[in-house]
Amino acid sequence: MCLSVSSAIDACRAFVRQRQPGLRTRFVMLVACLFLVLSVVMIAVASYLDLRDEENRVIADSQSIGATVSHLAVPHLENHHYLILEQELESIAASGIVTLVHVYDPQRSILIDSDPQTSYFDDIAIDPLLLKAIEVGETQTLTKPEMVSMAFPVRAEAEGEVLGGALVTVPRPNPEGVIFTIWKRNAIIAAVLLLFCLPVVFHFGNNFLRPIKLLTQTAHRVSAGDFDAPFPTERQDEIGVLARAYQNMVGTIRKNMSQIHKLAYVDSVSGLPNREAFRQHFKSLKSVKELRNKKFAVMFIDLDRFKRVNDSYGHDYGDLLLQEIGTRFQEALKSCGLPHGVFVQPDRRPRDTNYDVAVQSCVARLGGDEFGVIMPLVDEREAVLNVADQLTKAVETPFVINGYALSVGVSIGAAIYPDDGSDYTAIMKNADIAMYSAKHAGGNSLRFFDQVDRSGQAEDRLVVEAELRHALRGDELTVYYQPKVNCETSEVVGAEALVRWNHPERGLLAPGAFIDVAEETGLITRLGDRVLKLACAQGRSWLDQNRIIPLSVNVSVRQLQNPQFAADVLKTLHETGFPPHLLELEVTETVAMADPDIVYRITGPLRDAGIRFALDDFGTGYSSLAHLRQLPFDTFKIDQSFIQELGKSEGSRSIVQTILAMAQTMEYDVVAEGVETREQQAILQSIGCGTAQGYLFGVPMDADIFSAWMENCPSRNARRSGSGQTGRKPDAWAAA
C-alpha cells in the first residue's frame, strides 16, 4: 500500500514537472501577480485614507455648522427672539447636512430645536453634552458610530458672557458603503491598467528573456554533441558573462573529450586506432545502408620475429619499431589508393554515421605485435592480394632504430565479410586462424580463411591456437584448486592450482585439450604467467579471510628458459601480496633432468626468497642420485601411476617405500598423487607418507566452491601451525 502511494506521489511530481510553464510565462505571471498584490495594497491604503478623510470632513462640517449656529444665536438669545431662531434652525436642518440642531437659553430654560414638529414651548429633554458645554464654557464633542455631536457655548460678542449653548448632530457615513465605493473605483482602474500593461510586459519579457532562450538552445545543442554551437559572448551584461563561462566550460569539455577519445580509441604506442576503434569501424561498415549488400575484407597481421627484437634490444626499441611499422602500413594503404581513417571520432555519436567516413579503410594496432586492416567495397580478391603485397613490401626494408637495423616479417590472414562470418567476433577469429596458417606455412605471406586446411587434426590445432590466443587476451582462463591433505588426519595442508579454459562454445576445457598446442606454439609461457598471477591473487584473498592455504603452481620448461622468469615471479608475488613461503613451484622430473644446470641457476634466487620447489611426476623420468642431490627441490610428488597400483602390485608398494626412504634421507617432503581409494590412503599412511592428493579427498574446484568445500570438510581451515608432512622444514608452509 505504501509503495502504491509513493508511486502515485512520484507520478504526480513527474506530471507537475512536465507541466511546468516556461520561463517567459513564469515571468509574465510574476509581474501580473506583483501588480495584483500592489493593487490590493494600494486599494487598501487608499480605502483607509479616504475613510479617515471622510471622518475628518464630518467633524469639520460639525465644527463649521456649530460655529455658524453659535454666531447666529447670539442676537436672538440677547433679544429673546426665539421664534425667528427656531425658523432659522429648521432651515439649517432642512439642508440635510445635519440631523439635529439645538439652542438652549439657560436664563429662561428654553430649548429651541430644528424639528418642525416641536416648538420651544414643548417639554424636551436637554442633551447632557449641551449642558456641559454651557457649564465649562468650551466646545464638547461626542462621537458615535452613526453620528457626531458637538456642543458649543454661545457667548455675547461684547463681554464674552455665556448666553447659552448650541448642539449640532451630523450623521457619519456608512463605512461599508464608503469602502465598497472606493474598492469598486480602484478595482476598475487596476483592471484597466493590467490590461494595458500585460502586452507591454510580454513585449519587454520577450526582449529580456531572448538572450537566455538563445543560451538555453545553445546548451541543448552542446548536450547533443554539437560543441561548435555559438555562444552570445559579445554581450557585456550578466548574460555575456554567463555565456563566456559556458564557452570556457565547453572548451574544457571538448579538450577532455578529445583526451578521452584518444585514450579509448587510439593506441598509445603507434598512434594508430586501437582494437576498440577497429571494432567500431567494422560495425559502422555494417550500419551504412549503402554497404549492406557489399563485401569487405578484414586482414589480421602478425609480425614475424618481433619477439627477438624485444628480447635482444628491450621494449623501448620494440615500441619505436611498432611506430615505424604503423607509419609504413598507412603509407602502403595510400599507395594502393585507399583513403584510411576510422569511424570513431571525438564529439561524434553513432547516429552520425556517414557514408564518406565509413567507406574509408582502417589500419589499427590490435595489441602486442598484431595489426588489423579493414578494406571496404571488396569485390575481387586481387584487391586484397595487392594490399597484402604492399604491406609485406613495407616491412622488407630494415628499420633503423637508434642506429640498429631491425628486420621483421608479416604473416597475414584475411577473412571476407559476410562469406567467412556474420559478425565481428567470427570474422576476427577466422582471420586469426588464417594468419596462423600463413605463419605455419613459413610466414611473410597471405592466407585467406577459405584456403586454410580445415580437415582433421591440422584444422583443430590451428583453431585451438587461434582461440587460445584470444583466451589469453581476454578473461576465459581460470584456475581450479585440488586440495592436498594429511594422510593421517585428513587435514587440508595446501592446494594445487590447475588451469581451466572457459571456452565460449565448447564449455570448460581441461589442460589436456590445449596444453600441447600451448607448448608447441610457445603460448605456454603466457599461460603459465597467467595461472601464477591468478593463483597468487586468490591466495592473497584467502589470507585476507584468515585462511592460510599454501599453493602449488606448475612451471613449464619454456618458463624456466626465460632469463626473466625469476624476476617475473617475484614481481607477481609483490603485486599480489602473496607471501613467497606459501608458494611452491612444480617442475616435472623430465624437465628437471633435461638441463639441471638451468634449473639450478633459475631456482636459486627464488629459493632465497622463500619459494619452495617440487619435483612433479617423480619416478617416471631418469633421475640419478647425483643429480637429485644437486637439484634444489623440497618435495617429491610420486606419480599417480605408482599410487594406482597400490594394493594390487607389491612392486608399486616397494617403489613407493623406496621413494619415501630416499626422501627421508635427503630431507625431502613427499606428496602422493592420484589417491582415489581408502585402501590406497591406508597403505600410504602405514608406510609413512605424510601428504596426498586425489579424487578421494577432492576434485579440482573453482575458488568459490573450494572455499565452501573447506567449510564443510573435516578440517575446516588450512593448518595454521605445524606441517603435517614428513621431511625437512616442517614449519615452512605454516608461517604467515
Side-chain angles (χ1 to χ4, degrees):
M1 183 64 181
C2 293
L3 183 60
S4 300
V5 173
S6 176
S7 301
I9 293 175
D10 292 340
C12 292
R13 289 176 177 172
F15 177 79
V16 170
R17 285 195 296 268
Q18 292 174 355
R19 296 292 182 177
Q20 190 173 14
L23 187 60
R24 182 183 64 178
T25 304
R26 283 183 284 172
F27 175 77
V28 173
M29 291 174 61
L30 174 64
V31 173
C33 290
L34 288 176
F35 184 85
L36 290 176
V37 171
L38 292 175
S39 297
V40 171
V41 173
M42 180 190 69
I43 293 173
V45 172
S47 301
Y48 173 76
L49 295 177
D50 288 350
L51 192 60
R52 289 291 302 273
D53 290 344
E54 191 67 23
E55 292 287 343
N56 293 334
R57 184 191 61 78
V58 171
I59 294 175
D61 288 347
S62 299
Q63 290 176 342
S64 176
I65 295 174
T68 301
V69 172
S70 297
H71 290 291
L72 183 62
V74 170
H76 295 295
L77 291 180
E78 288 179 345
N79 299 315
H80 309 295
H81 295 161
Y82 302 124
L83 181 59
I84 297 173
L85 179 59
E86 184 177 32
Q87 293 175 351
E88 291 178 350
L89 296 180
E90 289 178 359
S91 63
I92 291 173
S95 65
I97 298 176
V98 298
T99 302
L100 181 65
V101 181
H102 286 183
V103 174
Y104 180 62
D105 185 356
Q107 293 182 357
R108 296 193 178 187
S109 301
I110 293 176
L111 180 68
I112 302 97
D113 64 6
S114 59
D115 189 357
Q117 303 298 326
T118 62
S119 68
Y120 55 88
F121 297 108
D122 296 335
D123 186 11
I124 301 173
I126 301 173
D127 195 299
L129 189 65
L130 183 58
L131 295 176
K132 186 174 182 180
I134 296 174
E135 178 181 357
V136 300
E138 294 179 357
T139 302
Q140 303 294 317
T141 302
L142 177 63
T143 302
K144 294 182 179 180
E146 67 279 0
M147 63 181 182
V148 175
S149 298
M150 298 187 70
F152 302 86
V154 179
R155 297 178 180 274
E157 294 182 359
E159 299 83 2
E161 178 186 358
V162 177
L163 302 176
L167 175 67
V168 178
T169 300
V170 178
R172 295 179 64 184
N174 185 5
E176 295 179 358
V178 174
I179 292 175
F180 176 76
T181 302
I182 295 172
W183 277 73
K184 182 179 179 181
R185 180 181 69 250
N186 290 329
I188 293 174
I189 295 173
V192 172
L193 291 176
L194 183 62
L195 291 176
F196 172 76
C197 290
L198 280 178
V200 177
V201 171
F202 266 105
H203 174 72
F204 285 101
N206 283 335
N207 292 336
F208 177 74
L209 297 175
R210 184 176 293 112
I212 299 178
K213 184 177 181 180
L214 293 176
L215 194 60
T216 303
Q217 292 173 349
T218 302
H220 281 300
R221 290 175 60 183
V222 171
S223 66
D226 182 10
F227 291 100
D228 296 322
F231 285 91
T233 55
E234 70 281 355
R235 298 177 63 95
Q236 299 302 318
D237 55 6
E238 289 81 357
I239 300 297
V241 174
L242 183 61
R244 286 187 287 275
Y246 268 119
Q247 190 178 49
N248 293 336
M249 181 179 66
V250 170
T252 303
I253 293 174
R254 183 202 302 271
K255 185 183 300 182
N256 292 339
M257 289 289 292
S258 178
Q259 183 65 20
I260 291 172
H261 168 266
K262 185 176 180 180
L263 294 174
Y265 299 113
V266 178
D267 176 59
S268 60
V269 174
S270 65
L272 295 176
N274 62 9
R275 179 181 295 273
E276 178 60 24
F278 194 76
R279 185 179 68 85
Q280 292 287 349
H281 194 79
F282 181 92
K283 291 176 61 179
S284 73
L285 286 172
K286 292 181 61 177
S287 63
V288 176
K289 62 182 180 181
E290 292 89 345
L291 303 179
R292 288 182 181 169
N293 295 323
K294 303 292 184 179
K295 296 181 179 181
F296 53 90
V298 173
M299 289 187 283
F300 198 103
I301 306 169
D302 187 82
L303 303 180
D304 300 331
R305 304 181 301 280
F306 180 78
K307 186 175 184 300
R308 296 180 183 177
V309 175
N310 276 339
D311 293 343
S312 301
Y313 300 98
H315 290 280
D316 292 339
Y317 280 76
D319 290 345
L320 293 174
L321 178 59
L322 290 173
Q323 294 176 13
E324 293 292 335
I325 291 173
T327 302
R328 290 194 186 182
F329 281 172
Q330 290 176 321
E331 293 173 353
L333 291 181
K334 289 181 181 179
S335 67
C336 295
L338 293 175
H340 68 276
V342 65
F343 164 67
V344 179
Q345 298 181 9
D347 312 336
R348 177 168 293 189
R349 297 188 173 189
R351 66 168 179 268
D352 299 326
T353 301
N354 97 24
Y355 178 81
D356 294 334
V357 175
V359 296
Q360 294 181 352
S361 61
C362 173
V363 56
R365 179 176 177 239
L366 305 181
D369 59 348
E370 298 171 345
F371 292 81
V373 172
I374 294 179
M375 291 178 52
L377 303 176
V378 175
D379 294 321
E380 297 181 357
R381 292 196 174 191
E382 283 71 14
V384 182
L385 291 171
N386 181 40
V387 172
D389 183 59
Q390 293 299 320
L391 293 174
T392 303
K393 291 179 179 179
V395 299
E396 286 181 350
T397 303
F399 298 84
V400 179
I401 306 296
N402 293 336
Y404 293 93
L406 307 179
S407 298
V408 294
V410 290
S411 295
I412 306 175
I416 307 299
Y417 173 85
D419 297 345
D420 298 331
S422 60
D423 56 25
Y424 175 79
T425 302
I427 285 292
M428 291 300 294
K429 172 185 172 182
N430 293 336
D432 202 1
I433 292 173
M435 183 273 294
Y436 287 121
S437 177
K439 186 176 288 290
H440 283 292
N444 213 39
S445 61
L446 167 71
R447 186 68 59 89
F448 286 94
F449 175 69
D450 59 6
Q451 295 175 337
V452 176
D453 180 12
R454 302 203 299 266
S455 61
Q457 186 177 5
E459 177 195 3
D460 291 340
R461 295 186 73 84
L462 284 174
V463 171
V464 170
E465 180 182 351
E467 293 179 342
L468 183 57
R469 289 183 180 269
H470 283 289
L472 287 169
R473 288 193 293 265
D475 57 355
E476 297 177 10
L477 295 177
T478 186
V479 175
Y480 275 42
Y481 301 89
Q482 186 173 30
K484 298 178 182 179
V485 302
N486 184 293
C487 283
E488 182 177 353
T489 64
S490 294
E491 178 187 16
V492 177
V493 295
E496 180 178 0
L498 301 169
V499 66
R500 294 292 185 270
W501 181 1
N502 282 318
H503 195 283
E505 297 176 359
R506 299 165 62 188
L508 189 66
L509 300 181
F514 56 90
I515 284 296
D516 290 343
V517 175
E519 289 278 6
E520 177 185 338
T521 59
L523 295 177
I524 191 66
T525 301
R526 293 169 57 186
L527 180 62
D529 292 343
R530 175 69 62 85
V531 172
L532 180 63
K533 290 180 181 179
L534 292 175
C536 290
Q538 183 59 55
R540 178 71 256 182
S541 176
W542 279 326
L543 279 178
D544 294 338
Q545 300 171 19
N546 200 28
R547 288 181 174 177
I548 303 173
I549 304 178
L551 296 178
S552 299
V553 180
N554 292 281
V555 176
S556 70
V557 63
R558 286 182 178 265
Q559 287 177 277
L560 293 176
Q561 292 171 347
N562 182 6
Q564 297 296 320
F565 174 70
D568 291 342
V569 172
L570 295 177
K571 180 181 178 182
T572 298
L573 291 174
H574 176 72
E575 291 176 348
T576 60
F578 190 61
H581 62 270
L582 295 181
L583 175 65
E584 185 176 66
L585 299 179
E586 297 186 3
V587 181
T588 63
E589 183 183 10
T590 303
V591 169
M593 293 300 104
D595 196 342
D597 293 336
I598 292 180
V599 174
Y600 189 84
R601 184 175 64 253
I602 293 297
T603 58
L606 297 177
R607 284 175 56 83
D608 293 340
I611 298 173
R612 293 168 57 89
F613 279 83
L615 193 62
D616 196 13
D617 299 337
F618 185 76
T620 60
Y622 302 94
S623 302
S624 68
L625 290 177
H627 283 155
L628 287 177
R629 286 190 173 277
Q630 294 177 1
L631 289 176
F633 287 98
D634 305 280
T635 303
F636 286 159
K637 296 193 71 175
I638 304 175
D639 188 72
Q640 62 180 349
S641 60
F642 299 111
I643 305 301
Q644 291 173 354
E645 295 299 320
L646 285 179
K648 303 177 182 178
S649 169
E650 189 63 29
S652 295
R653 178 172 181 147
S654 299
I655 292 174
V656 173
Q657 285 179 315
T658 301
I659 294 174
L660 288 172
M662 182 173 58
Q664 185 176 7
T665 302
M666 301 177 66
E667 297 184 343
Y668 277 36
D669 294 332
V670 175
V671 177
E673 295 183 294
V675 179
E676 296 181 355
T677 66
R678 292 294 179 187
E679 180 183 7
Q680 294 169 356
Q681 180 188 10
I683 295 173
L684 289 170
Q685 182 178 349
S686 66
I687 61 179
C689 182
T691 308
Q693 72 179 90
Y695 285 0
L696 174 63
F697 310 107
V699 299
M701 299 166 274
D702 67 21
D704 293 336
I705 297 177
F706 186 85
S707 297
W709 179 86
M710 287 281 293
E711 290 292 336
N712 297 320
C713 73
S715 176
R716 289 178 175 263
N717 295 298
R719 54 183 169 173
R720 301 176 186 272
S721 62
S723 171
Q725 289 181 315
T726 62
R728 65 184 178 90
K729 299 180 183 176
D731 297 327
W733 295 70

